[in-house]
Each structure stands twice: as structure tokens, then as C-alpha cells.
Amino acid sequence: MQNPIVEVAGASWTGRSPQADWAEALEGGGVLYFPQMAFSLSPAEAALLRPEVRDPKSRNISQRAQPDAPVKGAVGTEAELATLSAMMLRYRTQANALIDQLFPNYTPHLRLEPTSFRPMQVESRTQSWRADDKRLHVDAFPSRPNRGERILRVFTNLNPAGVPRLWRVGEPFDVMAQRFLPQAKPYRAWQAAWLRRLRITKSLRSEYDHMMLQLHDLLKQNLDYQRTADQMEMPFAAGSTWVCFSDQTLHAVYSGQFMMEQTYFMAPQYQTHPERSPLGVLTRLTGRPLLGAPL
Ligand code: SIN
Ligand code: FE
């Protein structure tokens, strides 16, 4: 497997001039890795690096795109929650500046999605196989069809004790899709209509969304694939940042604790190579349009 990690030096979140190679790497399913680019915390913010900050009923702590949205999934005093919110918004501002600097062509087309803070220790989390991100997968949202929009994510390891966040990065998306598409259950328009009517999905699940969820599940269910697929271990150092299209890069997280993450969505036509997007690849492999009639 070709090394999917592209390292970029420098500790500053701003001041680089964009290089065509970076968008090429990202659109090829690679991960841009900034080993020295940390998110620095004030003492009050560092005091929030405790798993108890998360409400046990929530999976993550998150803040929606609206700047005045309350932090969701956290517990603490009013002052702690205010500090947490400010920390997440500051991370968002830095992530925005980074993406704007790396991929200026994407900027006008990006939609800001939630910022999240993940204070839980990955290796002690127990989850159903479907929710288990310790297994290689591509990101796809069961309740939120995205009709081929890209999921661009910025991650930063905040671990104060120097513990890396250990990922595995898998084979290229098209190689995986070629292998697993024949096993995918066929799309049924009436099922998608029911899921919508029952409000299980927020909008109509397209054939594209169905296939991405099928691939997500087929990969996670297949323990033989998990063990034997082409993959590499990648320890993202404490105080480092990385960026990928998480709907394309096969990834799994083994271990680690304390991370910030910022998500963006973008329609694939704004990529340099739209045909390399999951929508492009799946359309080519199936030989038919996967989005149906526009809504
Ligand atoms: C994911 O699979 O998207 C989560 C990655 C992580 O928690 O490091
Ligand atoms: Fe994921």
C-alpha cells in the first residue's frame, strides 16, 4: 500500500502557501499530518481534560455550527461550560483558518458542521459493532443522508500526558468498494420513503447514502477483513493535527484520549477531481446515477 500520510512541517496554524500536492493527497484519500501543530490550552481549559466533563448520556461533546449554539453533551459549572464553549469556538476558528490556507478553492463551498471535543479513552469504550470506531470504516450517517457531499475533518490530539492517538489507515476507497459492493443489499426506494416518513432519516436516503452505509457496515462486520486488509498503523502524536476526507479514507482508532475535531461538508463538484470522490467512484463502479431525481 502506498503511504497515505503526507507530513507537513510547522507549528503555526497560518502562514503556509497552498500547494497543489495537498489537495491531491487529500482527494486521493490521504491524510495530511501536521506533527508539530498543537492546539494550546489555557490553564482553565486544560482543567477540562477530564472524561467526567462528558454527560454519560452523550457520545461526544459537540457544538453546532451556529456560534451561539449551546455546548451539547457536557456537564459542569456555568463557568466550566463557558470555558468549554470558548475553547471549542477558538478551535473552530483555527481549523477554519487552516482549511482556508490549505485549500482556498474549497473555502467558498464549505459548510461548517459541528465542532467536537472527545475526552473519553478510546480503548476502554465498549460499543456495538456498528458504532465501534476501533474497526476500519468510512464515515456515513444513518439518519442524515448527505447525497454525496464530502465529509472533511480536522483532528487535533490534545493529550496532556504525551499519549498518541493510534489510528489504522486502510486501503484506497476504490479498492475496498470494488471488493464489497457486490455484497451490498440493493437499494429499495420504498424503504427510503418509509425511513423518511418515520423520521428515522432527516431527508430521503439516496442510493448513494444507502451504499455508503452498506459499505460502513460490511467493513465493520467483517473481522477477517479487519485483520487482513491492507492497512498501516499511524500514531498521531500528542500536540499534532491531521486532516482527511473521512468518507473516503478508511480509518479506525485503536487508542488515545482527548481530541478536538471540526467537520465540514462540501459538494464533490468543487473538488479538483470530483471523479475521485466516493460518489464518483461508486457511480463508476455501478454504472448508474446514484442520487435519483433532485429533491
Ligand atoms: C472516527 O472514526 O471518525 C473517530 C476517530 C477518532 O476518534 O480518533
Ligand atoms: Fe470514523
Side-chain angles (χ1 to χ4, degrees):
M1 188 171 92
Q2 208 192 328
N3 184 353
I5 312 292
V6 173
E7 275 199 33
V8 184
S12 169
W13 288 70
T14 53
R16 294 178 187 84
S17 5
Q19 291 184 14
D21 291 8
W22 294 340
E24 287 288 319
L26 206 74
E27 294 188 11
V31 181
L32 286 194
Y33 178 39
F34 303 83
Q36 294 100 20
M37 204 166 75
F39 179 61
S40 34
L41 302 181
S42 69
E45 289 171 342
L48 297 171
L49 297 181
R50 291 181 272 121
E52 304 76 42
V53 171
R54 182 190 61 120
D55 179 340
K57 294 192 289 294
S58 294
R59 187 164 176 205
N60 283 320
I61 297 174
S62 65
Q63 188 151 26
R64 279 177 298 146
Q66 297 72 13
D68 51 355
V71 172
K72 281 200 310 196
V75 284
T77 64
E78 210 171 303
E80 282 171 337
L81 294 180
T83 304
L84 185 61
S85 174
M87 168 171 100
M88 293 175 76
L89 292 177
R90 196 162 58 78
Y91 182 74
R92 175 183 299 177
T93 304
Q94 288 192 209
N96 288 347
L98 177 72
I99 292 296
D100 184 34
Q101 164 201 184
L102 300 175
F103 314 113
N105 297 340
Y106 295 173
T107 307
H109 310 294
L110 290 173
R111 213 165 59 247
L112 187 71
E113 288 292 314
T115 312
S116 81
F117 170 50
R118 307 185 189 189
M120 305 310 292
Q121 191 181 43
V122 171
E123 55 273 41
S124 61
R125 233 166 26 187
T126 50
Q127 276 155 333
S128 67
W129 64 265
R130 191 176 266 133
D132 187 1
D133 290 338
K134 295 200 276 303
R135 303 179 187 208
L136 281 170
H137 65 282
V138 284
D139 289 347
F141 307 121
S143 65
R144 190 163 171 188
N146 76 359
R147 303 180 60 79
E149 278 199 320
R150 308 308 314 274
I151 306 172
L152 176 64
R153 290 190 147 153
V154 180
F155 303 91
T156 299
N157 182 352
L158 305 177
N159 194 284
V163 178
R165 199 165 187 96
L166 185 58
W167 273 30
R168 288 181 292 140
V169 179
E171 64 187 358
F173 182 88
D174 56 339
V175 176
M176 175 281 289
Q178 215 151 7
R179 168 167 170 178
F180 282 97
L181 267 189
Q183 298 172 40
K185 289 197 197 108
Y187 176 68
R188 307 257 183 247
W190 60 266
Q191 261 171 358
W194 267 108
L195 292 172
R196 171 75 189 114
R197 195 160 311 159
L198 297 172
R199 294 174 201 272
I200 294 171
T201 57
K202 295 196 175 90
S203 58
L204 193 69
R205 187 180 284 175
S206 66
E207 184 167 5
Y208 168 81
D209 290 290
H210 168 78
M211 282 182 173
M212 290 297 283
L213 288 165
Q214 284 284 303
L215 293 175
H216 173 276
D217 289 1
L218 286 165
L219 293 183
K220 281 192 173 174
Q221 269 176 309
N222 190 328
L223 294 177
D224 185 52
Y225 180 80
Q226 293 292 330
R227 240 188 345 262
T228 60
D230 218 0
Q231 55 192 288
M232 64 176 274
E233 280 198 357
M234 181 61 210
F236 293 108
S240 77
T241 296
W242 60 106
V243 180
C244 70
F245 278 125
S246 65
D247 54 345
Q248 176 177 4
T249 304
L250 273 86
H251 61 283
V253 58
Y254 255 0
S255 60
Q257 188 173 19
F258 303 119
M259 182 174 78
M260 293 293 289
E261 176 267 329
Q262 176 64 54
T263 301
Y264 306 86
F265 289 165
M266 185 181 79
Q269 72 250 36
Y270 302 115
Q271 292 180 218
T272 312
H273 305 286
E275 71 284 0
R276 294 184 193 164
S277 66
L279 179 63
V281 170
L282 296 179
T283 304
R284 177 166 53 77
L285 290 177
T286 56
R288 61 176 181 274
L290 300 174
L291 296 181
L295 293 181

